[in-house]
């Protein structure tokens, strides 16, 4: 059941998602061969590379390349589809440098000086090969190992084990930032001016400390939630800007985009780390074992917010509210009272969203049998929260307005 965080279950789900997308990549290769956009011998080599890297964790760029290929095929753009299919080889270059690929590896070369774009390196970086080749032999990859891995390492702001790994700007990160910027403009009519934090100035160093302090706080009060975050969050892209706080998407699975102020508390950072990893968990679950069957239904009310959104968005929001309410309850139960006042405000704000969201998705959702079991578990958990602290108190939840929008308390609550 998803209502309770579980690091081992999250790890199994991440593996299942990687296996599912790997199998779907094989179908993409079938399509590429069927329409003859990539030579059969290159398709065969890409298949071998997929199989030989299957035991390694699939990184965010792997998912981005898959969805780019789907978009290209859907648009019936042969050139884009060719680049996307061969771009799988570019993604797997890092695995090859680690010795996981022992066969020649097809790649996509750019028109710019015949360079090779490596999706896992800093934005606009390019690998200039000494030979004009589009299939890399294992010996050449072995010779270039240090160059490749040094380029990959340069994209990290921090990458210490056991901490929140922070990522600098890469091509796929920049693409996602552009998407979040456009979404923010559509909603607020304001330009968020999003950029990735640089990594060396004082504000960025404060951000680094706050991310680690937030994860340590979660570890203290709810260790399984911390384990789940470590499992699901490959990295955070720490942003600067306005009118945007956080986002994540299965298109770049494992990446969280957070625009948090350095002056905000470690509890605030703990909240948003949990928030985005919870989205990642549900993205993976819905992809591997669909729970909500009418996810595209639109025109319904949305918890907390005043604007309508697709039912799948409300479903995600409700689950996030459940996990955040659980985290704040754990903080309130802890003997360390330092964060109790802020946790109480956040608890009531998240409980309001949970009860509003449950009322909507219980009435309008269509579920698989597993999905119905999950929803019943969420409702039972909500009852436990109400028994713990009562119904949401507007005197408390209306005080939270710095990292979340002012709550809309007018929607009906699930009767518990």
């Amino acid at each position: 059941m998803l209502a309770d965080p579980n690091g081992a279950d999250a790890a199994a789900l991440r593996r299942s998602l990687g296996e599912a997308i790997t199998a779907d990549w094989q179908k993409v290769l079938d399509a590429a061969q069927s329409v003859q956009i990539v030579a059969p011998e290159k398709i065969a080599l890409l298949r071998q590379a997929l199989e030989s890297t299957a035991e390694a964790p699939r990184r965010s760029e792997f998912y981005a390349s898959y969805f780019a290929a789907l978009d290209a095929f859907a648009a019936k753009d042969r050139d884009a589809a060719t680049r996307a299919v061969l771009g799988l080889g570019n993604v797997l270059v890092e695995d090859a440098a680690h010795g996981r690929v022992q066969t020649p590896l097809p790649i996509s070369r750019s028109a710019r000086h015949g360079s090779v774009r490596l999706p896992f390196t800093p934005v606009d970086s390019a690998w200039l090969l000494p030979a004009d080749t589009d299939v890399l032999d294992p010996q050449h990859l072995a010779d270039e190992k240090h160059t490749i891995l040094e380029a990959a390492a340069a994209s990290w702001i921090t990458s210490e084990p056991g901490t929140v790994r922070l990522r600098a700007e890469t091509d796929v990160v920049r693409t996602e930032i552009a998407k979040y910027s456009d979404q923010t403009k559509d909603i607020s009519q304001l330009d968020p001016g999003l950029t990735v934090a640089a990594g060396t100035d004082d504000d960025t160093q404060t951000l680094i400390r706050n991310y680690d302090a937030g994860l340590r706080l979660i570890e203290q009060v709810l260790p399984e939630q911390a384990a789940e975050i470590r499992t699901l969050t490959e990295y955070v892209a720490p942003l600067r800007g306005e009118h945007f706080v956080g986002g994540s998407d299965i298109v770049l699975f494992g990446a969280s985009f957070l625009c948090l102020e350095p002056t905000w508390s470690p509890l605030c950072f703990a909240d948003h780390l949990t928030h985005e990893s919870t989205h990642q968990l549900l993205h993976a679950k819905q992809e591997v074992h669909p729970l909500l069957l009418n996810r595209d239904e639109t025109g319904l009310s949305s918890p907390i917010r005043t604007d309508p959104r697709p039912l799948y968005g409300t479903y995600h929001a409700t689950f996030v509210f459940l996990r955040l309410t659980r985290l704040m309850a754990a903080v309130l139960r802890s003997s360390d009272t330092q964060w109790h006042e802020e946790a109480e405000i956040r608890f009531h704000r998240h409980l309001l969203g949970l009860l509003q969201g449950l009322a909507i998705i219980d009435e309008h959702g269509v579920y698989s049998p597993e999905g119905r079991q999950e929803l019943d578990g969420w409702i039972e958990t909500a009852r436990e929260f109400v028994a713990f602290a009562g119904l949401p108190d507007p005197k408390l939840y209306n005080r939270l307005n710095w990292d979340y929008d002012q709550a809309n308390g007018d929607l009906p609550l699930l009767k518990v």
Side-chain angles (χ1 to χ4, degrees):
M1 297 293 288
L2 297 179
D4 297 307
N6 186 299
D9 287 350
L13 186 57
R14 182 176 179 178
R15 285 193 300 273
S16 295
L17 178 65
E19 291 165 359
I21 300 300
T22 298
D24 282 351
W25 246 122
Q26 295 283 9
K27 296 176 184 177
V28 171
L29 295 178
D30 288 342
Q33 186 163 344
S34 175
V35 298
Q36 300 179 333
I37 64 171
V38 176
E41 58 270 21
K42 290 183 179 179
I43 295 290
L45 291 171
L46 288 171
R47 291 190 194 281
Q48 292 175 23
L50 275 177
E51 291 168 1
S52 62
T53 58
E55 296 303 314
R58 294 302 190 187
R59 293 184 296 274
S60 65
E61 298 86 7
F62 178 80
Y63 297 98
S65 68
Y66 165 73
F67 286 103
L70 291 190
D71 289 344
F73 275 98
K76 298 181 179 179
D77 186 331
R78 289 180 65 89
D79 289 341
T82 302
R83 289 193 301 271
V85 170
L86 291 174
L88 172 62
N90 299 46
V91 169
L92 297 178
V93 164
E94 185 176 0
D95 290 281
H98 284 292
R100 299 183 185 115
V101 179
Q102 300 298 327
T103 53
L105 183 63
I107 54 170
S108 173
R109 298 181 74 101
S110 72
R112 187 184 65 182
H113 310 302
S115 62
V116 177
R117 184 179 66 85
L118 299 179
F120 47 83
T121 59
V123 67
D124 289 333
S125 64
W127 182 28
L128 294 174
L129 295 175
D132 186 15
T133 178
D134 56 5
V135 178
L136 304 176
D137 64 78
Q139 184 58 53
H140 187 85
L141 285 164
D143 293 342
E144 294 286 308
K145 172 181 177 178
H146 294 296
T147 300
I148 296 166
L149 295 182
E150 284 177 4
S155 71
W156 294 98
I157 299 172
T158 64
S159 58
E160 293 80 11
T163 65
V164 180
R165 304 173 77 207
L166 302 184
R167 196 74 179 267
E169 189 177 15
T170 66
D171 285 336
V172 290
V173 165
R174 182 166 64 177
T175 298
E176 284 292 286
I177 291 173
K179 180 185 74 177
Y180 289 126
S181 293
D182 290 342
Q183 290 175 350
T184 303
K185 290 175 189 176
D186 289 342
I187 294 171
S188 67
Q189 309 305 310
L190 298 169
D191 185 352
L194 297 177
T195 59
V196 178
T200 56
D201 58 276
D202 289 343
D203 276 356
T204 306
Q205 294 304 308
T206 302
L207 280 177
I208 292 169
R209 290 191 293 272
N210 275 346
Y211 278 113
D212 289 341
L215 187 58
R216 287 196 302 272
L217 176 56
I218 300 168
E219 179 76 70
Q220 291 167 8
V221 300
L222 202 56
E224 281 298 319
Q225 182 65 66
E228 192 173 276
I229 290 170
R230 288 195 181 94
T231 295
L232 296 171
T233 306
E234 182 183 343
Y235 58 85
V236 169
L239 306 183
R240 289 204 177 96
E242 301 177 305
H243 319 301
F244 174 86
V245 175
S248 55
D249 194 332
I250 196 167
V251 169
L252 203 61
F253 183 77
S256 294
F257 291 76
L258 292 172
C259 188
L260 307 182
E261 292 293 334
T263 55
W264 290 344
S265 71
L267 182 61
C268 178
F269 279 71
D271 182 306
H272 289 283
L273 285 169
T274 301
H275 185 138
E276 297 309 330
S277 73
T278 300
H279 278 305
Q280 300 280 9
L281 180 72
L282 192 53
H283 279 311
K285 184 70 173 181
Q286 181 74 14
E287 189 75 20
V288 176
H289 299 291
L291 304 174
L292 178 68
L293 303 181
N294 61 331
R295 54 180 290 170
D296 295 326
E297 186 170 343
T298 59
L300 303 174
S301 300
S302 178
I304 295 292
R305 291 162 42 159
T306 57
D307 59 313
R309 65 197 303 195
L311 186 62
Y312 189 53
T314 295
Y315 188 65
H316 260 266
T318 303
F319 182 50
V320 168
F321 285 130
L322 182 148
R323 284 300 194 83
L324 293 178
T325 306
R326 182 181 295 286
L327 174 63
M328 297 308 150
V331 174
L332 290 170
R333 290 186 177 107
S334 70
S335 57
D336 184 353
T337 61
Q338 180 179 9
W339 307 113
H340 278 199
E341 181 179 359
E342 183 180 346
E344 186 176 34
I345 294 169
R346 290 182 180 277
F347 176 93
H348 281 264
R349 201 270 187 188
H350 298 324
L351 180 60
L352 173 69
L354 173 60
L355 295 176
Q356 289 177 343
L358 285 172
I360 296 166
I361 65 175
D362 188 39
E363 178 180 359
H364 298 285
V366 178
Y367 299 96
S368 66
E370 185 179 2
R372 186 65 238 185
Q373 284 185 326
E374 283 290 348
L375 182 59
D376 290 343
W378 299 3
I379 292 171
E380 183 57 36
T381 302
R383 292 193 179 102
E384 295 171 5
F385 293 148
V386 172
F388 170 65
L391 290 172
D393 184 346
K395 294 179 181 178
L396 291 169
Y397 65 68
N398 281 327
R399 291 172 61 188
L400 185 61
N401 59 8
W402 55 95
D403 60 321
Y404 286 102
D405 293 335
Q406 191 79 38
N408 170 23
D410 295 335
L411 293 176
L413 309 182
L414 181 79
K415 292 182 173 62
V416 292

